[in-house]
Amino acid sequence: MKDDRRGPAAESSPRAAPQLVGEATHQEIVRSAGVVSLAVLGSRLTGLLREIVMARLFGAGMSYDAFLLAFRIPNLTRDLFAEGALSSAFVPTFTEYLARKGKAAAVELANLVATALIVLVGALCLLGIVFSPALVWLLAPGWAGEATKFALAVKMTRIMFPFLLLVALAAQAMGILNACQQFGLPASASTFFNLGSLGFGLLIGFGVGPQLGLPPIEGMAYGVLLGGALQLGGQLPSLWKRGFRYRPQWNWSHPGLQQIIRLMGPAIIGSAAVQINVMVNTNFASTILDPVRGPNGPVSWLSYAFRFMQLPLGLFGVAVAAATLPAVSRSAACGDMEQFRDTLSRSLGLVFLLTLPSSVGLAVLGQAMIGAIYEGGQFVAYDTVQTASALTAYAVGLAGYAAVKVLAPGFYALGDARTPMMVSLASIAVNYAAAWTLTRRAGMGHAGLALATSTVMIFSAAALFWKLRRRLGGLYGRRLATSVLKIGLASAAMGMVVAACCAPVEAHLGSGRVARLAVVALGVPLGAITYYLLCQLLRVPEVGAARRALAAPLARLMRAAAVNGPGG
């Protein structure tokens, strides 16, 4: 098989030059991923801060369940008209206009797209506000018999629906800035949202709201809307500086706008499939009766756990994918499929290097982390245990989730939007079967829904890898499989070492906050050091490549510090 012959043999073959090029490209990806990771880290940490405050104020009860469902409804269409389908269609088209037809043509296209978004997405928001009761019933039919909870969810859905238009315009602004080679500010836009939604929400919910008879949870809903406005507004000065000022323009027959619409078709269908899975799982969660909390809790526990898992997913999966796409796009544009294969294979190896130990770490230290961060106020010990069980189930699919982030853009770089769409459609059946089996037959409750999500991610990653491997005639499969085996062994051994060392600490200190902080403080660095040493012992190649890629910028920083001195 072409794939396997080209694996390790290439390391010592006369094809040294292509291998050196591949190594250089991989180091560039690692460095770029590091830059993106810093911005993503800020977003994830501020998002976590927001979740901590919400957990302390509202716990996992009726009001927060209603808030999450109301926020999820506009988010169901967010990937269709914002960061998902719109970004994948708008960015390449806008970049082409900017490079080939000049700035004036690019400004015109940006204005046409913004006007279309305001008209079409604005109309969708109005429809969503009108039909909010039907949407809430569709996602959570189990709440129909709980009049207070149902009415609260409907009211907050109406408050937050315009967030969809704001985030769609923010995604377009992000695409324009990226095409102009500005990445830091757009990548930090979610940080603006997290801080804005929290700050405005607290001000309205606990400051102004009580004087107006507004419940605190509704104040947080208004905070989401204002946070979305800040996410867009924070990027506007940079757009204006580059000469992009919005002027209403409408020309439905414009070739650039038509091209964007054509490209969005498969991406919308694929994103819709993902959102159908979210809707199905929310539907299942609304019908789960917890022995202690009844219908209140499962939706919140799943949300807290998934937010926690998004930290390693964003730091590793999203960052590596963002750095990989330009490299594979260049290779595809030049017709260099050998370089395309090598770059994609190395990026997948880097994803597994970072996410497999993260999965083990979340499973072993998840309860201690959740207890140390969330527990307090309305979020009690029982919520910690239930959230940790969901986090462990989500962690099973973390590597698959991150791999999809790298593999799907590979198809878009080849001009193939159909294959990711078909895999997404197939995932609907996989998700429903897994969710029904794990919740109704196996009785796993909300943890079963998290495990169903992991099942879908593993299926999607395997299907995309198989299709791409067949299309390209190989993806250095033997080299990648060898790395994954070594990484898996190192991760498992790391997990056993951490569990063995942390168990006596917890047994001695108990299950309070001090004990959990001590377990996290011991387990995280111990796990990182153990994992690194084991990877070195097993000669995992991705470790050496990452070290070499990061050594140069660190060395430059140290030299600069030495030259400038303490007073630099």
Side-chain angles (χ1 to χ4, degrees), residues 183-420:
F183 298 95
L185 179 67
S188 302
S190 294
T191 301
F192 298 156
F193 166 73
N194 289 327
L195 294 178
S197 62
L198 180 60
F200 286 123
L202 292 174
L203 177 63
I204 297 173
F206 295 89
V208 180
Q211 302 174 24
L212 302 175
L214 191 71
I217 195 67
E218 290 183 23
M220 302 307 294
Y222 283 108
V224 167
L225 193 60
L226 293 173
L230 187 61
Q231 182 175 350
L232 170 61
Q235 300 179 81
L236 292 181
S238 293
L239 287 176
W240 297 337
K241 183 178 178 181
R242 284 161 177 77
F244 291 93
R245 291 181 177 271
Y246 172 66
R247 298 288 185 274
Q249 289 183 255
W250 182 263
N251 181 5
W252 193 255
S253 61
H254 187 278
L257 186 59
Q258 289 294 314
Q259 180 177 336
I260 291 171
I261 293 171
R262 285 195 301 271
L263 290 174
M264 283 183 69
I268 283 178
I269 295 173
S271 297
V274 174
Q275 300 310 324
I276 288 172
N277 289 340
V278 173
M279 184 175 68
V280 167
N281 288 353
T282 303
N283 193 305
F284 272 104
S286 73
T287 62
I288 293 173
L289 294 176
D290 181 74
V292 175
R293 292 290 182 83
N296 298 319
V299 174
S300 300
W301 296 327
L302 288 168
S303 177
Y304 286 128
F306 192 73
R307 167 66 73 175
F308 212 93
M309 194 191 72
Q310 282 184 321
L311 180 60
L313 177 63
L315 288 177
F316 307 138
V318 173
V320 173
T324 300
L325 181 56
V328 295
S329 296
R330 287 194 299 268
S331 299
C334 297
D336 189 350
M337 290 299 101
E338 181 72 17
Q339 184 65 30
F340 187 102
R341 280 188 290 263
D342 183 68
T343 300
L344 204 60
S345 178
R346 288 174 183 269
S347 295
L348 285 172
L350 181 61
V351 161
F352 291 129
L353 175 74
L354 299 170
T355 55
L356 285 177
S358 298
S359 296
V360 174
L362 290 176
V364 174
L365 297 175
Q367 187 165 324
M369 290 178 176
I370 291 167
I373 292 175
Y374 284 141
E375 192 170 317
Q378 296 297 314
F379 196 96
V380 298
Y382 185 76
D383 297 317
T384 297
V385 174
Q386 299 305 316
T387 304
S389 68
L391 179 59
T392 300
Y394 276 135
V396 173
L398 175 59
Y401 212 146
V404 169
K405 297 287 186 183
V406 173
L407 288 165
F411 286 94
Y412 292 116
L414 295 171
D416 178 8
R418 184 177 181 275
T419 299

Side-chain angles (χ1 to χ4, degrees), residues 419-433:
T419 299
M421 177 192 73
M422 297 303 295
V423 171
S424 293
L425 291 174
S427 74
I428 296 175
V430 174
N431 178 71
Y432 186 88

Side-chain angles (χ1 to χ4, degrees), residues 44-57 59 64 67-68 71 194 198 300 303-305 307-308 310 373-374 379:
R44 293 296 188 261
L45 290 179
T46 53
L48 186 60
L49 172 64
R50 182 171 172 270
E51 292 294 318
I52 292 171
V53 174
M54 296 295 284
R56 296 296 179 85
L57 294 176
Y64 193 54
F67 175 89
L68 287 173
F71 184 49
N194 289 327
L198 180 60
S300 300
S303 177
Y304 286 128
R307 167 66 73 175
F308 212 93
Q310 282 184 321
I373 292 175
Y374 284 141
F379 196 96

